[in-house]
Amino acid sequence: MLYSLLLAGGKSSRMGEDKAGLVLEGKTLLDRSLALLEKTGAGRILLSGDIPGYDCLPDLIPECGPPGGLHAALHFINREFDLDDSLLLIMPVDMPLLSVSTLSQLVTAIGEADSCHYRDEIFPCVFRVTQKLKTHLDALYAESTERGGARSMKSLLSHFNGIILKKENEPEDNFLNVNQPEDWVVIQSKINQ
C-alpha cells in the first residue's frame, strides 16, 4: 500500500505567515498539496501538523521537524495497519510546483530499496515502511530529542541509503520551495509565465 505524509507542521518563521495557507491559483498550498497526493494513488494521506478543520497527525515528540512527522506516521501506521512493507511518500506543503510525475517516479523507482529521493534534494522522498525504520527512529528519539545530526531527514536518507534519482528528466522548478517572502514571489512568477 502507498501512504503519503504531507508535512505541514512547521512554524513558517522565515515566511512570517503560515505557508500552508498561502493561496496559489485559487487554492491554499495545503489544499493544493493534498489534491496532488490524491493523484499519486496513495491509499491513505497523513497530514503532519495541527491545522484546524483538518484531520491531522500530531507529532509524538513536539518540535522535532520532518523526522518527527515521519516518526509519528510510522507509529500511526503500526498501530492502525501494522507495518507491512508498504511505502510512505513524503512531501512538504511548501513545494507547490511538484508534479504527479515527479512524485510517481520516486514510488516506481524505489523497487526493493529502503528509500528513494532525487539527487541533491531531500524532498520529496519515499521510505519503505518497515519495523527497521521505526526501531531506528525510536532509538534516536530515546537517545535525544535534539534536532539535527542523526535526527535529520538528510541523515535518515543516508542511513537508509537507497535509490538516488537524477533530476535531468524533471523540471528544476518542481523542486522550488517557499521559505521566505522572496521565494513566494519567485513561485508566483513561475505560475504566471
Side-chain angles (χ1 to χ4, degrees):
M1 179 170 173
L2 175 63
Y3 298 94
S4 61
L5 175 64
L6 179 59
L7 300 169
K11 293 184 179 182
S12 302
S13 54
R14 287 183 285 171
M15 187 63 196
E17 62 182 293
D18 184 8
K19 293 186 277 188
L22 294 173
V23 177
L24 191 62
E25 296 184 312
K27 291 175 92 171
T28 65
L29 294 192
L30 177 61
D31 289 334
R32 232 177 124 89
S33 298
L34 290 170
L36 178 64
L37 287 171
E38 283 180 19
K39 292 176 186 172
T40 66
R44 179 76 190 258
I45 299 172
L46 305 173
L47 177 57
S48 177
D50 182 18
I51 302 170
Y54 289 84
D55 184 17
C56 296
L57 180 66
D59 288 348
L60 299 176
I61 305 168
E63 308 293 324
C64 287
L70 173 58
H71 181 244
L74 292 170
H75 276 265
F76 174 82
I77 294 168
N78 188 48
R79 189 173 57 249
E80 300 290 322
F81 304 101
D82 295 324
L83 295 178
D84 60 358
D85 208 32
S86 295
L87 298 177
L88 180 61
L89 171 64
I90 306 171
M91 70 170 270
V93 74
D94 65 358
M95 293 180 79
L97 302 183
L98 281 173
S99 69
V100 173
S101 171
T102 302
L103 297 175
S104 296
Q105 288 284 347
L106 292 169
V107 174
T108 302
I110 192 170
E112 297 300 315
D114 289 326
S115 69
C116 186
H117 64 100
Y118 287 94
R119 182 169 309 287
D120 301 324
E121 302 291 341
I122 294 171
F123 296 114
C125 61
V126 178
F127 280 93
R128 186 164 300 288
V129 177
T130 61
Q131 189 64 48
K132 179 172 67 170
L133 177 59
K134 179 181 171 293
T135 299
H136 179 73
L137 279 165
D138 286 344
L140 287 176
Y141 286 119
E143 175 185 297
S144 170
T145 58
E146 186 177 334
R147 289 177 73 158
R151 286 167 298 283
S152 70
M153 291 302 292
K154 184 175 183 177
S155 179
L156 288 172
L157 287 167
S158 177
H159 182 82
F160 290 92
N161 58 349
I163 306 297
I164 300 174
L165 297 180
K166 295 178 182 176
K167 294 191 302 186
E168 284 82 34
N169 298 327
E170 298 298 321
E172 191 62 35
D173 290 350
N174 282 6
F175 300 97
L176 293 175
N177 67 347
V178 180
N179 284 316
Q180 48 201 2
E182 297 80 21
D183 300 332
W184 184 233
V185 170
V186 170
I187 297 283
Q188 290 176 308
S189 71
K190 299 288 183 183
I191 290 290
N192 295 325
Q193 286 180 348

